[in-house]
Amino acid sequence: MKHTLPLIAFLLSGISNHVHSASYTLENTYKKLKPRYSELHLPDDSPISNLNVEQHTYPGKLRSQSITIIRPNNNTVLPLIVLVHGGGWGSGSPAILQTLAAKLAAKGFVVATPAYTLSDEAQYPASIHDIALATQWLKSNASRFHLNAEKLTLAGSSAGGQIAALLAYSHGKLPNQSASLAVNARVLINIDGLSDFTTPLALRYENDKNKAVTSASKWLGGRYEEVPAIWQHASPINYISNTSPATLFINGGFARFYAGKKAVQEQLTERGITNKEHVFKEAPHCFWLFHPWQNNTVELISEFINKQLAVDPSR
C-alpha cells in the first residue's frame, strides 16, 4: 500500500506490537531533554512531501513484524539503509526515527526502519534475528522497492546501534545461530551504540549493582556475573575481522553509551578498514532526533555512505 503521510502525524501514530514501546517516543524524549538543553527543538517534516512512505510486514522470528520503507518518489534504484531504533532493547518503535529516515531518503537512499521483538517478550538474540530477517526480506524484494541490496548500510541508534553493529561485524553468523541469518553490509553507522558490554564503563551502568534488573541484563537474560558468555556473545567487538564494513561512529557527550568504541576503532585500523568518528561533545543522548544535531547527523551519514559506496550524491 503506497501512500504519503504527514510525518508528524505518522510519528505520533507510531508502529508497535508492544505495549511498553510507547514509553520511548519523540514527545516523551523532548519533554525530558528540553529543560536541560534550551537549544533543542523538534525536527521539521519538510522532506516528506517528495517522498514515498510504505508500511509492510515481514516475517520475524516470533511473528510478523512491521517495517516502514521511505524513498524518493521515483523508480531509480538506490542504495539501501536499514535503520534500527533504540530504546534499551525493551522500548521504542520505528516511528521515533522517521524524521531522520525521511531526511536520509531525501538524500537519495531507500531507508527501511524495521520493528523487532523487545525484551519484554523475548530475550537476546530474538531481536537480532528480526533485523536479519528484515534485511533478507528487503533483499528478496529489491526489485519491488527499487533498491540495491548489494549497497547495504546497517545503521542504528543507541540499542539499535549495538544491534546494527553486531549484525554488521558478524555478518549475521553468530555462534550457534543459523547460517540463514547471513547479512553482508558494506557500511555500518553506529550512533551512540555500545561496542562492548564487558568494558568497565559499560558494566558500571549496564550491570549496575544498585539495580535488580538493568536494560541489558533483562535483554541478555541475567547479570554479567551470571551469564558472562552471553554478554560477550552480544558484544560487537568480538566479531571484528578483515571483512568488517567501513564504520562511522556518531556520538554525543556521554561515553557510557558507546563504550568499547576506541578498541573497535583500533582493531579496524589495524586491518586497514575505514573508520571515522564525529562527536557532538555537548549533545545529549538521543541528539539525532532533534535540532540542532539532526541535520548534521544526516549530512555525516550521507557523505560517509556516498564515499564508501562510490555513488553519485546527485543521484
Side-chain angles (χ1 to χ4, degrees):
M1 63 179 171
K2 295 185 177 182
H3 51 277
T4 300
L5 301 173
L7 190 55
I8 295 300
F10 183 64
L11 278 164
L12 294 176
S13 67
I15 303 174
S16 177
N17 294 314
H18 308 278
V19 173
H20 294 294
S21 66
S23 62
Y24 179 46
T25 65
L26 190 71
E27 182 180 8
N28 288 347
T29 306
Y30 177 78
K31 289 179 178 178
K32 178 180 177 180
L33 293 176
K34 182 62 175 177
R36 289 177 283 162
Y37 296 89
S38 60
E39 71 274 35
L40 182 147
H41 297 285
L42 287 167
D44 65 83
D45 64 351
S46 57
I48 200 69
S49 60
N50 296 317
L51 298 172
N52 185 70
V53 181
E54 300 185 39
Q55 299 174 26
H56 297 272
T57 58
Y58 72 91
K61 181 174 175 61
L62 300 183
R63 62 170 184 286
S64 294
Q65 294 279 11
S66 64
I67 188 167
T68 304
I69 300 166
I70 305 180
R71 58 159 297 132
N73 207 5
N74 56 47
N75 292 329
T76 304
V77 176
L78 298 171
L80 171 64
I81 301 175
V82 177
L83 183 60
V84 187
H85 75 82
W89 307 280
S91 64
S93 76
I96 200 167
L97 287 178
Q98 296 313 302
T99 53
L100 181 63
K103 289 178 181 180
L104 286 169
K107 291 287 187 180
F109 300 99
V110 178
V111 184
T113 54
Y116 56 86
T117 304
L118 301 178
S119 59
D120 273 348
E121 187 172 11
Q123 296 169 346
Y124 171 87
S127 53
I128 309 300
H129 286 222
D130 284 342
I131 301 304
L133 291 169
T135 304
Q136 292 177 340
W137 181 83
L138 288 161
K139 185 174 183 178
S140 67
N141 286 278
S143 60
R144 176 183 179 185
F145 299 117
H146 305 286
L147 61 87
N148 186 341
E150 300 306 314
K151 293 186 175 181
L152 168 65
T153 295
L154 285 176
S157 56
S158 195
Q162 177 271 329
I163 291 171
L166 186 64
L167 272 176
Y169 292 148
S170 69
H171 303 297
K173 299 174 183 177
L174 298 169
N176 304 316
Q177 302 300 317
S178 169
S180 66
L181 293 177
V183 172
N184 291 305
R186 291 180 58 184
V187 177
L188 167 67
I189 310 293
N190 187 340
I191 308 173
D192 253 11
L194 279 170
S195 291
D196 188 350
F197 282 100
T198 68
T199 65
L201 179 59
L203 290 172
R204 177 182 171 188
Y205 294 95
E206 305 303 334
N207 198 43
D208 187 344
K209 299 183 185 303
N210 295 316
K211 296 180 179 179
V213 179
T214 67
S215 296
S217 68
K218 182 176 182 179
W219 183 54
L220 297 173
R223 304 186 71 85
Y224 177 64
E225 296 83 2
E226 299 167 335
V227 287
I230 295 179
W231 285 61
Q232 294 166 358
H233 191 286
S235 295
I237 194 171
N238 293 324
Y239 302 90
I240 303 295
S241 72
N242 291 336
T243 60
S244 292
T247 301
L248 173 64
F249 297 93
I250 308 177
N251 301 120
F254 296 89
R256 58 161 289 200
F257 293 106
Y258 46 95
K261 178 184 74 170
K262 186 170 292 187
V264 167
Q265 289 176 294
E266 291 172 353
Q267 289 197 32
L268 292 172
T269 299
E270 286 174 2
R271 290 169 169 80
I273 297 169
T274 298
N275 63 98
K276 295 187 179 299
E277 67 174 348
H278 184 91
V279 180
F280 296 104
K281 293 181 180 180
E282 304 301 323
H285 190 54
C286 297
F287 62 86
W288 55 91
L289 301 176
F290 304 104
H291 290 316
W293 307 284
Q294 187 176 85
N295 288 344
N296 288 336
T297 299
V298 169
E299 292 297 328
L300 288 165
I301 293 172
S302 61
E303 289 175 9
F304 187 79
I305 295 174
N306 288 340
K307 185 173 183 179
Q308 300 312 310
L309 299 184
V311 295
D312 183 355
S314 64
R315 60 193 177 280

